[in-house]
Amino acid sequence: MTDLVSPGSKPHGSRITVEVPVVRVGSGSSDYEGLNRFVDSLRKPQGLHMTLLHVGILDELGRDIVAWTKGLSPPEKVLPEISSWLTELPVMQGFLGKSDKLIPLGGGRLMGLEVDVPQEVHDYQALLVQGLHVLLDDLGLDNIDDFILSSPALGYKSPRWLPHIAVGKARTRHEPAMEIAPVALEFGDSRIRNREALPSPG
């Protein structure tokens, strides 16, 4: 699962994700800036984050749900319920992780750190997906696993979540995964990106 938009698409609105911000990379800015030799256009450190659940642009998710339910679940009914579920999620406390590998992301357009995280982070992410599954079931969707994997808004490419942080553009579209010197990572509390864009809960 990534934050990427499909090539050629131009979505409107704010992308909603549940994520954790990166508070610190290594022992200082030089550790992060050292990654510059592996990528083009290294991202600003203050914008680094790890996505736990990509909800996407709500208008697009609403259209996906309408198409899936053949109009039986209109956006004006389901989106406030999704908003309510998101805002009631428990906050996961900050944690420590580490990385020793850069991997290609987004079909090779980006490079990112593959992150080793504590088991409780995997458990929290699994809780998010399970909760989304129950929510969609309550909203009247069927074949929910298929919907989650096929919805362009949700953006799942695989049922397996690989913890990662996108750090910059790949030098070429065929960059391989590469080992790097181990780097410690510190993450902050989980948050909802663009929370202010959520509709009023139903």
Side-chain angles (χ1 to χ4, degrees):
M1 180 175 64
T2 71
D3 299 349
L4 300 175
V5 178
S6 299
S9 67
K10 293 186 178 179
H12 299 283
S14 300
R15 188 169 289 102
I16 307 297
T17 62
V18 182
E19 64 182 35
V20 286
V22 178
V23 176
R24 181 176 54 85
V25 178
S27 57
S29 59
S30 62
D31 284 349
Y32 179 64
E33 290 165 4
L35 297 175
N36 202 40
R37 66 184 183 273
F38 300 112
V39 302
D40 287 333
S41 304
L42 195 66
R43 292 186 169 188
K44 294 180 179 179
Q46 59 268 32
L48 296 177
H49 63 277
M50 183 166 66
T51 300
L52 302 174
L53 180 68
H54 184 281
V55 178
I57 295 171
L58 290 183
D59 285 348
E60 291 188 341
L61 179 57
R63 288 196 292 272
D64 291 349
I65 291 173
V66 167
W68 194 263
T69 62
K70 297 179 171 57
L72 295 179
S73 298
E76 61 269 19
K77 174 190 173 214
V78 300
L79 294 186
E81 293 299 317
I82 293 171
S83 174
S84 178
W85 174 72
L86 283 167
T87 55
E88 292 172 5
L89 287 172
V91 172
M92 182 178 65
Q93 300 300 307
F95 58 91
L96 300 176
K98 62 182 178 180
S99 177
D100 58 8
K101 184 186 293 186
L102 275 170
I103 58 172
L105 302 169
R109 289 172 291 167
L110 296 176
M111 295 296 285
L113 293 170
E114 181 178 338
V115 184
D116 291 326
V117 297
Q119 183 58 44
E120 57 262 31
V121 181
H122 289 282
D123 293 344
Y124 183 82
Q125 198 273 343
L127 178 72
L128 294 177
V129 176
Q130 291 165 6
L132 179 64
H133 196 288
V134 171
L135 173 69
L136 294 173
D137 183 56
D138 289 345
L139 292 174
L141 278 72
D142 58 8
N143 300 315
I144 293 167
D145 288 330
D146 291 339
F147 173 78
I148 289 174
L149 287 173
S150 64
S151 165
L154 291 175
Y156 275 83
K157 306 302 181 192
S158 165
R160 177 175 176 267
W161 177 61
L162 179 68
H164 66 272
I165 305 164
V167 297
K169 292 181 180 178
R171 295 187 184 277
T172 74
R173 288 295 293 266
H174 306 288
E175 290 292 313
M178 39 187 126
E179 304 289 329
I180 61 171
V183 61
L185 301 162
E186 182 179 351
F187 296 89
D189 295 350
S190 63
R191 66 189 183 190
I192 301 172
R193 175 173 288 225
N194 294 316
R195 184 185 184 120
E196 68 280 358
L198 291 171
S200 298

